[in-house]
C-alpha cells in the first residue's frame, strides 16, 4: 500500500467521522442548542474537507482538518456543554479527526509529492 492510498483511507475515515458527528444529535439525542449546532456545523465542515481531499488533494485541506478536529475537541469547554453525552462524542471524534490529519501531514512530509512540469 503506498502513501496515496493511505491518505485516501484517512480521508474516507474522516468522511465517516464527519457524517457521524453530523448525525450525532439524532443518534445520541443531544439537547437542542449549541451542542447540536456545533456537531452539525463541524460535521459538515469535516465532510466537505474530506470530499475535497478525495477529489483534489491539497495540503491546506489537511491543515484545516487538523484545526477543525482540535476545535471539536475543545468546543465543549468553550461553548459550555461539559459533562454531557455531546462532550464525549465531540472529544472522541475530534481527537480521531485531528490524529488522522496529523498522520496525513506527517506522511506528506516524509515523502513530499512531486510535480511534473508537463
Amino acid at each position: 500500500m503506498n502513501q496515496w492510498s493511505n491518505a485516501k483511507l484517512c480521508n474516507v475515515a474522516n468522511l465517516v467521522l464527519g457524517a457521524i458527528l453530523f448525525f450525532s444529535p439524532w443518534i445520541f439525542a443531544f439537547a437542542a442548542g449549541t451542542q447540536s449546532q456545533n456537531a452539525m456545523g463541524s460535521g459538515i465542515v469535516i465532510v466537505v474537507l474530506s470530499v475535497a481531499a478525495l477529489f483534489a488533494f491539497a495540503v491546506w485541506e489537511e491543515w484545516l482538518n487538523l484545526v477543525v478536529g482540535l476545535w471539536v475537541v475543545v468546543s465543549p469547554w468553550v461553548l459550555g456543554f461539559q459533562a454531557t453525552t455531546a462532550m464525549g462524542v465531540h472529544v472522541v471524534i475530534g481527537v480521531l479527526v485531528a490524529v488522522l490529519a496529523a498522520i496525513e501531514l506527517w506522511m506528506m512530509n516524509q515523502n513530499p509529492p512531486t510535480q511534473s512540469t508537463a
Side-chain angles (χ1 to χ4, degrees), residues 6-24 27 39-55 61-62 65-66 68-69 93-94 96-101 104:
N6 288 338
K8 287 203 182 277
L9 286 175
C10 288
N11 289 324
V12 169
N14 271 338
L15 179 67
V16 170
L17 290 170
I20 291 170
L21 186 60
F22 177 80
F23 289 111
S24 64
I27 296 170
M40 289 185 288
S42 298
I44 288 171
V45 171
I46 292 168
V47 166
V48 167
L49 289 172
S50 300
V51 169
L54 285 170
F55 288 108
E61 292 159 341
E62 300 315 321
N65 241 350
L66 180 64
V68 173
I93 290 179
L96 291 172
V97 168
V99 166
L100 288 170
E104 283 192 73

Side-chain angles (χ1 to χ4, degrees), residues 21-81:
L21 186 60
F22 177 80
F23 289 111
S24 64
W26 295 285
I27 296 170
F28 300 105
F30 294 175
T34 56
Q35 53 192 319
S36 294
Q37 292 169 350
N38 187 62
M40 289 185 288
S42 298
I44 288 171
V45 171
I46 292 168
V47 166
V48 167
L49 289 172
S50 300
V51 169
L54 285 170
F55 288 108
F57 182 76
V59 176
W60 60 268
E61 292 159 341
E62 300 315 321
W63 284 107
L64 284 177
N65 241 350
L66 180 64
V67 169
V68 173
L70 293 174
W71 164 253
V72 172
V73 170
V74 301
S75 63
W77 292 276
V78 174
L79 300 176
F81 55 90

